[in-house]
Structure formats: structure tokens, C-alpha cells
Amino acid sequence: MPPSAGILLVSAPALMDAHFKRSVVFLAQHDEGGTLGYVLNRPLSATLSEILPDLYGFDAPLYWGGPCQNDTLHCLHTVGTHIPGAAEIVEGVYWGGDFDTIRDLIIAGGAAAEDFRFFVGYAGWSEGQLENEIKEQSWFLTDSSSEAVFTPSVKNFWTRTLKTMGGEFIAMASLPEHPSVN
């Protein structure tokens, strides 16, 4: 399976990069210019209403999306049919769109926290970079779904994702995080 928008990247157990160790990344864009995605299993301790006070009480959790542009806010959501400019990446998973409309929908009570994943920053790869990392076996690719993107619990998400991939990935899922513990 080649990389494409709408798939999951699952880091290999041997990938020790501090940014991506035991991470699962949803790819929102992949084209000749490069790749953009969001780390799904790195929750932050803040909520959306803590960084956007006008959304007081809307306690959608924030996630660290990746090491690129950590001064930007991004979102994946399920309400794309109501948001101009939102792009459906896989069935039921929309990316971006007009943020003022998203804000208005939230304030009006037309959407719940579980309809969104908000990310600070993103993960990005230049043209050919991700393909090289896949060849080096730093990443595994698997299909995605709205259930995976909006899972209510990201605890052990890397392990659970590997197990759903079956075969040799089941054994990889049980490898200790630190080989010296083995």
C-alpha cells in the first residue's frame, strides 16, 4: 500500500525519534509536493476552550499534531457537510474548512466535542521523504476509518492499531518499549 491521504502511518517499534516513537499518524494530504498528517495519540493537557476563550465550556481535548508549525491550530471533524471548504478525506472524516463557521457551529451547540480532533501543529514530509522512511521500515501503513480517527481513548492506540493489522504486527505490538526490559 503506497502512502495516500486517508491512511494511517504506524511507527515501527524500532523508530526511536522522540516526535514519532509509538505514534499513529493520520495522513490528510499526500501529493507531489509532500505529505501532511496529524499524530492521533499525543493528547495535550489543555482543551480547546483554554486556548480560545470565546469557546468557554467547549472542552474538546487538544492533541499535538506533530513538530511542524506548533503555533497553528488544525482540525479533523465529522461535520464537514456544514463547513464550507472542508475536505472529506475518508468517509466521515473531514479536514479543515472555514474556522469561523466551525466556531459558530460550536457556539450554537450544533456540534459536540467528540465531533472534532483539534491539533496544535502537524507532521510534514517533503517530496519523497516519507517514501524513503517507509523503505527504511520506519513506518507501516494501514487503512483508516472515522472510528480510528475519533476513537474515544488513545491509550494504547499504537498497540491496538498494530494488533488490528494482524499477522506479524500482532507480535510487534507486544514488544517492550525499552528492549532492555525484555
Side-chain angles (χ1 to χ4, degrees):
M1 163 187 309
S4 63
I7 62 115
L8 295 178
L9 290 179
V10 183
S11 65
L15 183 62
M16 293 294 146
D17 179 292
H19 296 302
F20 297 113
K21 183 177 181 180
R22 295 197 173 214
S23 66
V24 179
V25 179
F26 176 79
L27 294 187
Q29 182 178 17
H30 178 77
D31 57 31
E32 63 281 345
T35 305
L36 182 144
Y38 302 102
V39 178
L40 296 175
N41 59 329
R42 295 284 193 277
L44 299 172
S45 59
T47 64
L48 184 65
S49 63
E50 290 177 75
I51 65 165
L52 297 176
D54 60 327
L55 295 177
Y56 180 78
F58 191 76
D59 293 327
L62 288 174
Y63 292 82
W64 179 80
C68 301
Q69 293 187 350
N70 282 300
D71 60 345
T72 59
L73 182 67
H74 306 262
C75 76
L76 298 173
H77 52 85
T78 64
V79 293
T81 57
H82 303 294
I83 311 297
E88 188 171 32
I89 305 300
V90 296
E91 186 176 344
V93 178
Y94 295 86
W95 176 36
D98 182 67
F99 194 78
D100 289 333
T101 304
I102 291 171
R103 181 184 308 226
D104 292 345
L105 186 65
I106 290 169
I107 290 170
E114 54 270 2
D115 293 326
F116 296 93
R117 279 290 163 99
F118 290 96
F119 301 92
V120 175
Y122 64 90
W125 292 264
S126 60
E127 181 181 0
Q129 182 182 4
L130 179 59
E131 288 83 356
N132 288 336
E133 291 180 15
I134 292 168
K135 285 178 190 169
E136 295 168 353
Q137 298 186 337
S138 295
W139 298 100
F140 306 119
L141 292 81
T142 190
D143 292 323
S144 184
S145 66
S146 62
E147 292 80 18
V149 172
F150 299 105
T151 184
S153 172
V154 295
K155 184 175 181 169
N156 300 316
F157 188 54
W158 178 83
T159 301
R160 291 192 329 258
T161 303
L162 280 174
K163 286 181 178 178
T164 63
M165 293 169 65
E168 66 183 310
F169 299 107
I170 294 172
M172 287 182 197
S174 63
L175 291 172
E177 186 169 347
H178 302 285
S180 61
V181 175
N182 196 7

